Amino acid sequence: YMIRNSNKVVTIGKAITENLVDNYGYKEKIVTCYNGYDENDFLGIKNQSETIHENNFIHLGSIKKSKNRKIDLLINSIEKFVSDPKNQIYNVTFTFLGDLTKDEIDKISNTGLEKYIKIRNPISKKLALKEAMQYKFCLFYGVPGQKTYISSKVFDYIRLGKPILGICSGNESEQILSDIKNCRVSNFDTDNIVKNIEEIIKENYTINTDYTKFSRLNTLKRIETLFD
């Protein structure tokens, strides 16, 4: 009833749009407008201007919010990567900046990989984004088996301009990141993650500056045009 009597229905993901169209029809009425990033979150944060030589990855936020997403896969993948002698030349580190659970912190601490895995306590979003600008790579961890999964973190990472390693095959986030020139998408498999860590380091990606289409301002402008 609501769709039939609406001028337009706006969703935040293509998978949601497809589901609504499949179930109710009205293809011409249902459109996707991603949430995108808020440029206000980046006010006062200088874009990266110099090359970052350290192969450091940063993951922002929590992991345990989804019961299907566990830190074990990341730990096992990192451990496998750094334990391979040929990867020692990369001097790679992974920083988790955000609200990790005690169990997640204990699992990281028990690996003995303090040289490679760093844990940082939560700070404000603005400070976290400012710190992330000092890292070479962003690490995005999706949710296995959830086709509709999109996180606002994806758009914040895109705005940072950094090369992104997205472990999100099968999520809608995969479709978004696959269209970004300096991103690599991995499935939820240790060997594939290890392979993509190495590939994104070797690829020597440049900073992506084509991000404004994901700004919330542009999203609002698009929504306005829907009702012209």
Side-chain angles (χ1 to χ4, degrees), residues 3-222:
I3 295 176
R4 184 173 68 248
N5 288 280
S6 300
N7 292 320
K8 292 289 182 183
V9 176
V10 180
T11 77
I12 60 168
K14 291 181 179 178
I16 299 172
T17 296
E18 291 168 2
N19 183 266
L20 289 175
V21 171
D22 289 344
N23 283 282
Y24 303 105
Y26 301 104
K27 183 177 181 180
E28 73 286 353
K29 286 188 177 187
I30 307 173
V31 296
T32 301
C33 291
Y34 291 124
N35 273 340
Y37 65 86
D38 186 347
E39 186 61 30
N40 290 323
D41 290 333
F42 293 85
L43 292 178
I45 299 177
K46 288 184 62 177
N47 290 337
Q48 180 190 331
S49 57
E50 299 180 358
T51 301
I52 296 174
H53 297 289
E54 296 85 357
N55 289 314
N56 48 12
F57 291 76
I58 188 165
H59 177 280
L60 299 179
S62 64
I63 291 175
K64 193 62 187 260
K65 278 188 177 179
S66 170
K67 64 180 181 180
N68 294 329
R69 179 174 54 195
K70 301 185 184 304
I71 201 168
D72 305 66
L73 177 63
L74 293 180
I75 294 173
N76 293 339
S77 300
I78 294 170
E79 186 169 25
K80 186 166 186 176
F81 179 84
V82 300
S83 64
D84 188 332
K86 71 179 175 63
N87 293 331
Q88 296 300 313
I89 62 170
Y90 298 125
N91 296 316
V92 67
T93 61
F94 295 83
T95 297
F96 291 89
L97 172 56
D99 189 18
L100 298 186
T101 66
K102 182 181 183 302
D103 181 58
E104 289 168 341
I105 293 172
D106 287 344
K107 285 181 176 180
I108 291 174
S109 300
N110 291 336
T111 63
L113 296 174
E114 294 87 357
K115 178 180 176 181
Y116 305 102
I117 305 178
K118 315 294 182 181
I119 301 172
R120 293 282 312 282
N121 291 329
I123 54 179
S124 71
K125 180 177 181 180
K126 194 174 191 69
L127 288 176
L129 292 172
K130 185 175 183 179
E131 177 154 340
M133 194 63 81
Q134 310 306 313
Y135 285 73
K136 189 170 186 177
F137 305 104
C138 289
L139 176 64
F140 177 73
Y141 189 20
V143 180
Q146 288 197 15
K147 181 180 178 183
T148 60
Y149 183 75
I150 311 174
S151 167
S152 60
K153 191 186 308 179
V154 168
F155 304 109
D156 289 334
Y157 281 178
I158 292 172
R159 171 59 181 85
L160 285 167
K162 307 292 184 175
I164 303 168
L165 173 57
I167 304 168
C168 56
S169 180
N171 297 165
E172 184 157 346
S173 303
E174 175 185 13
Q175 299 177 38
I176 298 168
L177 293 180
S178 294
D179 290 335
I180 306 298
K181 61 184 179 181
N182 65 346
C183 297
R184 290 191 69 87
V185 172
S186 172
N187 60 32
F188 297 91
D189 170 78
T190 297
D191 289 337
N192 195 246
I193 294 170
V194 169
K195 175 186 174 185
N196 279 288
I197 292 172
E198 182 176 5
E199 290 300 320
I200 200 170
I201 292 173
K202 291 166 62 177
E203 191 68 29
N204 197 27
Y205 285 115
T206 57
I207 294 298
N208 173 45
T209 57
D210 182 24
Y211 48 70
T212 55
K213 64 182 178 181
F214 293 110
S215 74
R216 287 184 187 166
L217 181 60
N218 279 334
T219 296
L220 289 173
K221 288 179 179 178
R222 185 180 176 214

